[in-house]
Amino acid sequence: MENAVEFNAELAEGAKENAESFSEELRVFSAHSAVSLSYGFVRALHPRQAELRLFPDQASTMAPSVDALYFFLLGTSALIGLALAVLVITFSVKYRRRAGAAHLPAAPTTRWLEIGWIAVMFVLFMAMFVWGARVYYDLQRAPPNALEIQVVGKQWMWKIQHPTGQREVNELHVPVGRPVKLLLSSEDVIHSFFLPAFRVKQDAVPGRTTALWFEATRPGQYHLFCAEYCGTGHSRMTGWIVVLEPRHFQRWLDTRLSGESPVAQGLKLFQSLGCATCHNPQPSARCPNLVGLFGRTVRLRDGSTVTVDDAYLRESILDPAAKIVEGYEPIMPTFQSRVSEEQLLQLLAYLKSQS
Amino acid sequence: MKHYLNAGYSVGSWLLTRDHKRIAILYLLSVTFFFFIGGAFATLVRLELMTPAGDLVISETYNKLFTMHGVAMIFFFLIPAIPTVIGNFLVPLMIGARDLAFPRLNLASWYLFTAAGLLALGSIIFGGVDTGWTFYTPYSTTYANTHVFLMAAAIFVAGFSSILTGLNFVVTIHKMRAPGLTWSRLPLFIWSTYATALLFVIATPVIGITLALIAIERLLSVGIFDPALGGDPLLFQHLFWFYSHPAVYIMVLPALGVVSELVATFSRKRIFGYGFVAGSSLAIAILGFLVWGHHMFVSGQSMYAGMIFSILSFLVAIPSSIKVLNWTATLYRGSISLRTPMLYAIGFMGLFTIGGLTGLFLATLGIDVHVTDTYFVVAHFHYIMVGGTVMAYMGALHYWWPKMTGRSYPEAWGKLSALIIFIGFNLTFFPQFILGYLGMPRRYHAYPEEFQVLNVLSTAGASILGVGYIFPMFYFIGSLFARKKIGDNPWGATGLEWRTSSPPPEDNFRETPVVTEEAYDFAKAEEPELP
């Protein structure tokens, strides 16, 4: 299971220690993954190969209920579809036109066949409706003791804040076996918070708060997608939900509060703000690689050049569209209202440390 | 012999014609053009999705590609195709009339459609639109920097073309039926076209109003849909789907009518349960207005509203299922000929059934939450729209081609293309159901690697499908130059359109036909020239 990598602290630490023995890509990613598992880390553990998957992971209490309903419909549909196919093919072969055959009299319409069909369909459809509504009701009603987490969608990232203050971007850490309720809102357009492994989805609508709840059942790392089209970076508005054993979750919460050097904090910001998803050293990356950038001279789209210094980095974070490096698109969102002055300095400290 | 095609050769004789048959040909050219435009966008979308990384085009371009694919296919092909090409040609012929009730209005509809098409092309050429064909607010009103206004104007104008066509059909079917052609004797294609025409007239103004509101908000910053200006984005979704769900039935009802004609002729049997099939068209048209909220189960709409829309969505599935049952029952003890149009009809029954059954999944609240806005939905509506409407349209073109042109298409090529289209279609869209349940969101430019195999299958299928659509282009055109003419009623079909010559004269009938029997009375029909 590629996504449901069993998470345990030993694995993360072991990977950190053995980083040297992995590929260049893994070395960079595991360095970035000192605190939590990152997308790149998982990718490095599982070499890129075409893998055929046919069914999603089941990682929440609701997933088996939704799947049971799904299999009921799948079975019923398959039966109806097969019956029709058999009838159509049999009739097409058996009653194929033969030369000189006399016309058969038109079969009289049997009203009772029509009414019987309507009755059977009606009963079947109502069964589907009632079962579906029942599951929907459960999906909509969060248990009262749920852990409430704030989620804000913004072009094109998910900003998350835990009740104890910890912030995350495009990653959500939750404990296993405890109901979690997400309070969703949006800073700009409509987004949709979608966790396929949990079978839950809810739009985040500007101007209102919506809610979604789940109870994770299996530790691991699962996809988070934005499911409502929200503009240029829609398909990059993805992330991970990391399900931890309660003690690991507590440890994770504790780690997030510990004081660290500006460089380490900058590194964390670099990851948690989602910089690393674009600014990575892969050749296919959409944004310039920032390792070894400070002090270099870069060529911009308009043909001019600029030397990378504090001011340029600051401007590029707060007003990314101002000076676009040649060969890249102006896709980076502004961090004007996203980072405090203090955080900006931490980021600069980290970027400079990479030279 | 004088007929509508050789009545005049000047450009003016076409562009100023009031003959419904010539206008149908004008529409045929227009919608075919847009089908290939939309197809070109689809090709690029599928090519991009062969690899997980967004590497063929940048995200802005990809977003425009799927938007313009949707807009071109829905508003400029699927909605007009069967009503304006097949319907325009056949409604007067099938009811024994000389023309539609308002021939000049009919021509005006085509000009409006063409104007709308030019606006849409303009929007594409100036840089395109990236809102998705659904134009969801506040993205479309406040955040999109593309040519939303121009495209909205195009759809607005195209809407008037639909309204006028609908009006024309309703009046024509009410007032111009031949003596003896009572409602209960109407061909089923007329019933479904009538239901469609009602939807055109009643539903289309709503999309016009909605797009006008978008333009007002974009240009004048009046808060209607954008919460930053005091509006409500969900209001847009209600208005949009109040039109766009009936629009789904606008796209599929005429197809259901076509299939009824094909199944009857190629089984040489009266459609089983005529009254139920005719009535189900009207039931679909009425219930279709009451289910729009099933597009909004995760939008933040109230849970109880969701339940009401869910139950109504199940109800609308019943009349659709009646049709499939009755077609199947018609085959029983029929005299079945598997010529190309019938292959399309049978293909339609299979694909429409899969589309309909997966529609039940989407009507089921607990499942819809997981699969909405994923590839499951994409697969579902392509099974209905492409597997349904396009298959029926292809079947209709083959079936009535001898009537329209007096020439026959090459049968072997026809069957081969139908087979290629069926195989290509399933390979393209079936994997998308699996992708959807796995959780791949729609409108994604880049996607995680574990979805690649299914996407590659889908792209491979699309290339097969493309080949299947290109063949008929060539052999239909080629058939026009064939020397051999075909008789007036090659299929031995019933229906007034087969009682006149092929191609029909300008006035359709040399004398007004009188109808004395039920529809599909094959006991009295001629023997087929092409059995």
Side-chain angles (χ1 to χ4, degrees), chain A residues 67 97 114 201 223 226 229, chain B residues 130 326 336 370 372 437 444:
Chain A
D67 290 345
R97 192 168 295 177
E114 305 278 358
K201 183 185 290 126
H223 282 295
C226 175
Y229 175 67
Chain B
D130 74 334
N326 283 290
I336 297 166
H370 176 55
T372 189
Y437 204 77
Y444 260 33

Side-chain angles (χ1 to χ4, degrees), chain B residues 383-435:
Chain B
Y383 264 83
I384 298 285
M385 301 287 96
V386 187
T389 306
V390 181
M391 293 289 279
Y393 177 67
M394 295 297 288
L397 278 183
H398 286 83
Y399 179 59
W400 282 294
W401 193 252
K403 181 54 63 184
M404 295 168 91
T405 64
R407 303 292 198 286
S408 185
Y409 61 89
E411 187 62 38
W413 282 104
K415 284 183 172 165
L416 180 68
S417 302
L419 195 67
I420 292 174
I421 288 174
F422 186 80
I423 292 169
F425 174 84
N426 281 296
L427 187 57
T428 309
F429 293 105
F430 202 84
Q432 296 184 3
F433 284 122
I434 304 168
L435 275 174

Side-chain angles (χ1 to χ4, degrees), chain B residues 38-115:
Chain B
F41 290 133
T43 307
L44 290 170
V45 165
R46 282 308 333 158
L47 281 176
E48 168 64 75
L49 293 176
M50 273 180 75
T51 54
D55 42 14
L56 182 69
V57 295
I58 58 170
S59 295
E60 282 91 340
T61 311
Y62 180 80
N63 296 341
K64 289 174 180 173
L65 288 175
F66 72 69
T67 300
M68 293 185 295
H69 165 66
V71 169
M73 285 302 199
I74 289 172
F75 295 106
F76 294 96
F77 178 75
L78 288 165
I79 287 178
I82 298 183
T84 63
V85 179
I86 309 296
N88 237 321
F89 196 91
L90 285 167
V91 165
L93 285 169
M94 280 184 158
I95 64 170
R98 287 178 58 165
D99 205 316
L100 288 173
F102 308 112
R104 285 183 181 80
L105 199 62
N106 195 20
L107 182 64
S109 299
W110 180 74
Y111 274 101
L112 280 173
F113 182 76
T114 305

